[in-house]
Amino acid sequence: MNDKIASPEKSSDSPIIQIIDMHKWFGDFHVLNDINLSVNKGERIVICGPSGSGKSTLIRCINRLEEHQRGRIIVDNIELTNDIKNVEKIRAEVGMVFQHFNLFPHLTILENLTLGPIWVRKTSRAQAEEMAMYYLEKVHIAEQAKKYPGQLSGGQQQRVAIARSLCMKPKVMLFDEPTSALDPEMVKEVLDVMIQLAQEGMTMLVVSHEMGFARSVAHRVLFMDFGQILEQNTPQDFFSNPQHERSKLFLSQILH
Amino acid sequence: MEPAIISIPATEEIKPPITGIGVIGWVRKNLFTGKFNTLLTLLILFAIVKTVPPIIRWAFVDSLWSSQSQACKEAAGACWSVVTNNIRFILFGFYPYDQQWRPIAAIALLVGFIIYSHNRRRWNTKLLIAWPLGLAAMGIIMYGGIFSLPEVETEKWSGISLTLLLAIFGLSAAYPLGVLLALGRRSRLPAIKALSVVYIELIRGVPLISMLFMASVMLPLFLPEGITINKILRAQVAIILFTAAYIAEVVRGGLQAIPRGQYEAAEALGLSYYQKMRLIVLPQALKTVIPPTVSILISAFKDTSLVVIIGLFDLLKTTHVTLSNPDWMGFSNEAYLFTSLIYFVGCFFMSNFSRRLETQLKT
C-alpha cells in the first residue's frame, strides 16, 4: 500500500464536526456512552473496534441516520436537531458510503450519480452529467455509465457509490465498513480510490478493519468498545504501542 | 504470473439422440414421461375429443346469427340473434337511439387514447395533460348541451358506456388514492397513520354491495334538503373508495419489500421525504407489486357490474333487461357469453399490458 502519505500532515484547526457528551440508547441498550469527538477539516480518522461496539452507530449519528438522545452534534456549524431542514442541509454536505453500497437498482449508474446534484443541489442536468462523468473517470468506471447497478461487480458498485457521494461535493465523507461486503480481490480497487481521495485532502471518517489503510492515510485511529472511545492515537503509536487492555487484545486478534 | 493454458482435447462433436430433440423429443418430454403422465395425456385428449366438436357445432355450425326469435326457438344450435338483434340496447341501453353515434365516438376516442398510451416510450408530460382533456372531451360528447348536441341526462347513460365510465374513473382515481393511503399507513405522524389504518380496515371489512347501497340509499338521507348528488357519481365514489383500500394494502406490501438501505441512501444524499418517495422508493415498490395491483384492478373492473343493485344500467344489466323481453327469454347462454367476451377483452388487455410493463421495467 502507498506509504508516502503515512506521515499525517497537519490538518487545519477549524473543527468541522463536533460531538459533545453524546449518548444514544437502543431501547435499554446503551449503544453510545458519552462520546466526545472533534474532527478538523481535512482530518482523516479510522474507527475500529469489535462488532457491536457502536462504531457504525457513531458515524450514522453524524448525518442523523440514527438519532442521538443526549449531548450535541454540530456539523459544519449547524447543530443536529429535530429540524428536518437542518438535517437535510447537513446530509447534503456529508457524503456516506455504506457497507452494502445501496445503489438505486432502478436507475442507471449515471442516474444514480446525477440524482443528488439535480434534486438537492438544483444543478442543471447537463452540468450534473458532466460532473458525474468526471467522477466516474476518477473511480475508473466511466465506461459503465449506462449500465444498471445489478450488472456491476461488488467492487465496481462500491466505487460508483463513492462517486455518487462525491458528486454532491461533500465537505466530509463517512465510510461505514466500505470493504466488508466485498470479495477479497475487490478490496484493493476500493481502497485505492479511498487513498486517492485522502491524498486530495478530503475529510474522512472511516469505520474499517483495514489496518493497512489506517496506517497509510489516517491521522488518528479511534478504538471503540462498549459504546465508548477507549483510545485514540496516531496510527504509528496505536499499532505499535496500544495503551488500553481492550485495544491490545483486539489488535492481537486481528493482526495475528 | 504466467496465465495457465488449458487445452481442451479435440473430440468429435456428439449429437443428442434423435428422440431427445424436435417434435418427437418435445412430445416425449412433455406428454409421455412416466405412466401417470401418459395416462393424464390420454384422458385429456379423450375429454377434448368429446367436448370441443359439440361446442363448435353448437356455436358455429348449427347457430343462427340474424334470425327472428321464432326461428331461434326451433334451431338446434346457438341463437346469436339475441345479441345481433339487440346489440344497440345491450351496448348503449337507454341512450337516445338516434344519438348513439355519440357513445360510439366517445368509446372510439377512449380506445384510441389507450392504444396510443400502450407504448411506454410515448409517456411524457404532454400525454399526461392530454388524458384529462381527452376524458373531458368524451364527457362533452356524451353529455352534449353545447355545439348543438342535444343534452343527454346521465340517467340515460347505460350499457358499455356506463361500465367503461365507472371502470376508467374508478381505477385511475383509486390507484393514486391507494398509494397515498399506503404511504399514510407507513407514516411516522400518528394522526395520519391512525386515519389511514382506520380507513383501510373499515373499508376492507365491508362488502362493495353494502357500500354502493349506502351511497345510493343512505347518503341522500343525510344530505340537506334540496341537495342531490348524481347517482352515478355516488356509485363512482363508492367504487373508488373501496378499490383504494385494497390497492393501499398491496402497495404497503411493496413499500415493506424495499430494503432499509435504499431509504438510508436516499436520506444520506439529502433528499426530502417527497423526493425520496417519488424518486427512489415508489418506483421500486410499485414495480414489484404490479401483478397483485393488476389483479385488484381487474376485479374492480368486473365489480362495477354490482351497480345493478342500485338501479344503474351497466352492461350486465342491459343484457339482463334484453333477456326479460318475452321474445328473447331463454337465450341467456348466448347473451351472457357475449357480455363475458366484452369483459374478457377488457381484463385480458389489462393483464397483457401489465406483463409487458413488467418486462419493460425489469432492470
Side-chain angles (χ1 to χ4, degrees), chain B residues 271-287:
Chain B
L271 294 179
S272 70
Y273 173 85
Y274 294 101
Q275 290 171 335
K276 174 178 74 177
M277 286 301 168
R278 194 165 82 76
L279 301 166
I280 306 301
V281 179
L282 281 177
Q284 296 184 61
L286 296 182
K287 188 176 81 186

Side-chain angles (χ1 to χ4, degrees), chain A residues 31-256:
Chain A
V31 60
L32 291 176
N33 187 349
D34 196 23
I35 302 287
N36 282 285
L37 178 66
S38 174
V39 181
N40 288 337
K41 266 190 193 131
E43 196 176 12
R44 298 186 289 274
I45 295 178
V46 168
I47 305 169
C48 61
S51 71
S53 59
K55 51 197 193 308
S56 283
T57 311
L58 170 60
I59 68 164
R60 286 160 61 86
C61 280
I62 294 172
N63 65 354
R64 212 174 178 79
L65 289 182
E66 305 284 355
E67 227 169 279
H68 63 285
Q69 284 135 337
R70 252 175 68 184
R72 305 173 66 190
I73 300 178
I74 300 157
V75 182
D76 197 22
N77 296 321
I78 303 174
E79 177 156 8
L80 277 171
T81 57
N82 279 327
D83 182 349
I84 189 70
K85 281 284 153 242
N86 277 349
V87 172
E88 282 167 11
K89 229 180 271 171
I90 287 173
R91 282 171 175 168
E93 303 302 332
V94 177
M96 182 150 200
V97 174
F98 299 87
Q99 183 177 358
H100 295 288
F101 334 134
N102 297 352
L103 295 178
F104 305 127
H106 62 302
L107 302 176
T108 63
I109 300 305
L110 191 65
E111 288 165 339
N112 264 278
L113 266 68
T114 54
L115 189 88
I118 289 175
W119 293 94
V120 180
R121 295 276 193 232
K122 314 288 179 202
T123 322
S124 74
R125 178 171 296 274
Q127 236 178 331
E129 283 180 358
E130 194 182 319
M131 185 166 61
M133 289 313 294
Y134 170 78
Y135 283 111
L136 282 178
E137 296 278 358
K138 211 163 173 165
V139 300
H140 317 297
I141 209 160
E143 70 284 358
Q144 315 278 14
K146 296 279 175 234
K147 288 193 182 169
Y148 286 91
Q151 297 166 292
L152 269 53
S153 73
Q156 290 175 321
Q157 290 194 42
Q158 193 61 299
R159 285 184 281 147
V160 171
I162 294 172
R164 177 175 68 180
S165 291
L166 292 177
C167 277
M168 291 293 287
K169 299 251 162 70
K171 294 181 175 155
V172 182
M173 286 282 286
L174 308 173
F175 294 83
D176 189 2
E177 309 210 26
T179 55
S180 309
L182 295 175
D183 289 340
E185 60 199 303
M186 293 169 183
V187 169
K188 187 174 177 300
E189 64 186 59
V190 171
L191 287 181
D192 284 347
V193 167
M194 290 169 63
I195 290 167
Q196 190 190 341
L197 202 56
Q199 284 165 332
E200 290 165 11
M202 176 62 79
T203 311
M204 294 163 79
L205 272 85
V206 184
V207 171
S208 177
H209 292 150
E210 296 292 337
M211 292 304 138
F213 173 78
R215 249 187 244 274
S216 67
V217 306
H219 296 118
R220 244 198 295 174
V221 175
L222 304 191
F223 177 76
M224 287 185 71
D225 202 359
F226 311 114
Q228 289 169 305
I229 298 173
L230 293 183
E231 184 170 346
Q232 46 180 315
N233 217 329
T234 60
Q236 287 88 338
D237 291 341
F238 177 74
F239 290 116
S240 57
N241 187 18
Q243 301 298 311
H244 202 280
E245 282 307 312
R246 282 293 297 144
S247 7
K248 284 178 193 164
L249 182 65
F250 178 76
L251 284 176
S252 75
Q253 277 165 343
I254 65 162
L255 295 177
H256 310 297

Side-chain angles (χ1 to χ4, degrees), chain B residues 17-96:
Chain B
I18 191 72
T19 49
I21 53 166
V23 179
I24 301 170
W26 186 90
V27 168
R28 273 177 74 114
K29 193 169 147 230
N30 292 292
L31 300 178
F32 297 101
T33 41
K35 280 179 194 152
F36 182 67
N37 281 351
T38 308
L39 186 68
L40 274 186
T41 303
L42 293 175
L43 268 177
I44 289 168
L45 272 178
F46 178 73
I48 290 174
V49 168
K50 273 289 179 196
T51 55
V52 172
I55 289 177
I56 289 175
R57 197 170 339 114
W58 176 79
F60 299 107
V61 182
D62 295 343
S63 57
L64 292 171
W65 290 82
S66 58
S67 64
Q68 287 307 304
S69 61
Q70 203 48 45
C72 266
K73 291 197 168 116
E74 286 144 21
C79 171
W80 299 115
S81 316
V82 65
V83 175
T84 50
N85 277 328
N86 299 296
I87 186 81
R88 288 181 68 168
F89 183 77
I90 291 177
L91 290 182
F92 306 117
F94 298 109
Y95 204 90

Side-chain angles (χ1 to χ4, degrees), chain B residues 89-200:
Chain B
F89 183 77
I90 291 177
L91 290 182
F92 306 117
F94 298 109
Y95 204 90
Y97 198 78
D98 57 338
Q99 295 290 323
Q100 283 179 2
W101 62 271
R102 284 158 58 180
I104 294 175
I107 290 167
L109 190 58
L110 178 70
V111 170
F113 259 92
I114 289 175
I115 289 174
Y116 184 84
S117 313
H118 198 244
N119 190 337
R120 211 171 67 88
R121 263 169 295 172
R122 297 194 183 127
W123 293 5
N124 53 32
T125 332
K126 271 186 206 156
L127 191 62
L128 201 68
I129 298 166
W131 259 99
L133 294 178
L135 290 173
M138 290 168 215
I140 290 170
I141 294 172
M142 289 289 285
Y143 192 81
I146 51 172
F147 304 130
S148 70
L149 289 172
E151 195 173 304
V152 179
E153 294 289 316
T154 53
E155 277 75 40
K156 294 191 174 136
W157 297 13
S158 33
I160 196 167
S161 359
L162 180 66
T163 297
L164 286 175
L165 175 81
L166 292 173
I168 294 282
F169 283 98
L171 304 190
S172 48
Y175 188 73
L177 182 61
V179 172
L180 285 181
L181 282 167
L183 291 176
R185 190 163 187 171
R186 302 217 350 126
S187 167
R188 280 197 208 149
L189 306 171
I192 291 178
K193 185 182 172 131
L195 268 176
S196 307
V197 171
V198 167
Y199 175 88
I200 292 168

